[in-house]
């Protein structure tokens, strides 16, 4: 049994060198042709393969059409222009106003001589009379002094010494401010400094005095001056 099992090893049935010399090259050539057929045939049949769906995913789609144009808006009503309204914007240039035509010197029909240039119907001969000027305001009395000379006394009245003052032996000087009118008479008098028992007697005497009129630029005016009345016991 063991002999039969290892008989091929000891004495192989196929002996090297029994095959022909071209067997090996022919085998290599046949295998090469078979391998080339396996590679070339699929390449020639690629045009029959279906297009994969993934390729379509990268195909650019045409852009969508633009939206339709909006309908035209209704025309706005035109507001009327007011010719008397003030302008909102300043004008670019201001033109000077035309000069007024000179007044007509020919007058009008029905006018009278001596009127204004151009005249008017129903005028007055010699023009419209002007109203008289208003009277000048009354001039205030001026005080004696400087160019105003003191008027001269032309009438003197001695004061009556009061009996009560003589009994009390009161004597002295009473100073009075007198306003002399334009004709020289005493218009007003008031005591500036005096004595209660002698003031009234002094005022009664001064109000009877009279002076020459005082002239200012040749015109009589009222003046104010101070006078003194002396009371002396004998």
């Amino acid at each position: 049994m063991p002999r039969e099992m290892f008989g091929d090893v000891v004495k192989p049935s196929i002996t090297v060198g029994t095959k022909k010399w071209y067997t090996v090259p022919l085998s290599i050539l046949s295998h090469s042709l078979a391998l080339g057929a396996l590679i070339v045939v699929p390449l020639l049949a690629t045009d029959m393969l279906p297009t994969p769906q993934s390729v379509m995913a990268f195909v650019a789609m045409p852009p969508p059409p633009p939206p339709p144009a909006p309908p035209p808006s209704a025309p706005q009503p035109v507001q009327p222009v007011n010719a008397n309204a003030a302008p909102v914007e300043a004008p670019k240039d201001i033109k000077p106003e035309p000069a007024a035509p000179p007044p007509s010197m020919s007058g009008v029909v029905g006018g009278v001589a001596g009127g204004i240039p151009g005249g008017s119907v129903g005028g007055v001969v010699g023009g419209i009379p002007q109203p008289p000027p208003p009277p000048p305001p009354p001039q205030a009395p001026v005080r004696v002094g400087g160019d105003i000379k003191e008027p001269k006394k032309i009438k003197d009245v001695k004061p009556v010494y009061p009996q009560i003052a003589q009994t009390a032996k009161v004597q002295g000087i009473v100073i009075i401010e007198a306003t002399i009118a334009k004709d020289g008479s005493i218009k007003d008098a008031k005591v500036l400094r005096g004595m209660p028992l002698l003031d009234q007697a002094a005022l009664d005497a001064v109000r009877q005095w009279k002076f020459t009129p005082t002239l200012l630029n040749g015109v009589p005016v009222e003046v104010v001056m101070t006078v003194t009345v002396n009371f002396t016991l004998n």
Side-chain angles (χ1 to χ4, degrees), residues 97-198:
E97 296 183 357
S104 176
M105 303 298 293
S106 59
V108 296
V109 179
V112 296
I116 60 175
S120 61
V121 179
V124 180
V125 176
I128 300 175
Q130 298 296 327
Q139 188 176 4
V142 295
R143 186 169 294 276
V144 173
D147 295 337
I148 307 299
K149 302 298 183 181
E150 182 178 345
K152 294 181 180 181
K153 186 191 299 184
I154 58 177
K155 181 182 179 182
D156 186 18
V157 175
K158 299 295 183 180
V160 177
Y161 213 119
Q163 185 63 38
I164 187 173
Q166 291 182 2
T167 303
K169 297 183 179 181
V170 175
Q171 60 181 358
I173 297 174
V174 178
I175 301 176
I176 297 175
E177 183 181 74
T179 302
I180 303 173
K182 295 178 182 181
D183 59 355
S185 61
I186 301 299
K187 183 179 180 180
D188 190 16
K190 61 180 180 179
V191 176
L192 296 180
R193 189 179 66 182
M195 299 178 179
L197 297 179
L198 304 176

Side-chain angles (χ1 to χ4, degrees), residues 24-231:
V24 175
L26 183 61
S27 177
I28 293 173
L29 179 62
S30 62
H31 282 81
S32 300
L33 292 175
L35 183 60
L38 292 176
I39 297 174
V40 173
V41 169
L43 294 176
L44 295 177
T46 53
D47 56 346
M48 299 178 61
L49 296 176
T51 304
Q53 295 295 329
S54 61
V55 177
M56 298 300 293
F58 297 97
V59 177
M61 299 297 291
S73 59
Q76 298 294 332
V78 179
Q79 298 292 337
V81 179
N82 187 4
N84 297 327
V88 179
E89 298 180 355
K92 296 182 179 179
D93 54 346
I94 300 176
K95 297 181 179 180
E97 296 183 357
S104 176
M105 303 298 293
S106 59
V108 296
V109 179
V112 296
I116 60 175
S120 61
V121 179
V124 180
V125 176
I128 300 175
Q130 298 296 327
Q139 188 176 4
V142 295
R143 186 169 294 276
V144 173
D147 295 337
I148 307 299
K149 302 298 183 181
E150 182 178 345
K152 294 181 180 181
K153 186 191 299 184
I154 58 177
K155 181 182 179 182
D156 186 18
V157 175
K158 299 295 183 180
V160 177
Y161 213 119
Q163 185 63 38
I164 187 173
Q166 291 182 2
T167 303
K169 297 183 179 181
V170 175
Q171 60 181 358
I173 297 174
V174 178
I175 301 176
I176 297 175
E177 183 181 74
T179 302
I180 303 173
K182 295 178 182 181
D183 59 355
S185 61
I186 301 299
K187 183 179 180 180
D188 190 16
K190 61 180 180 179
V191 176
L192 296 180
R193 189 179 66 182
M195 299 178 179
L197 297 179
L198 304 176
D199 291 346
Q200 189 60 45
L203 289 174
D204 293 342
V206 170
R207 290 189 178 112
Q208 301 179 53
W209 293 357
K210 195 165 184 178
F211 296 83
T212 57
T214 303
L215 303 178
L216 179 61
N217 297 327
V219 179
V221 293
E222 294 182 356
V223 293
V224 177
M225 62 179 295
T226 56
V227 297
T228 58
V229 178
N230 190 11
F231 290 86

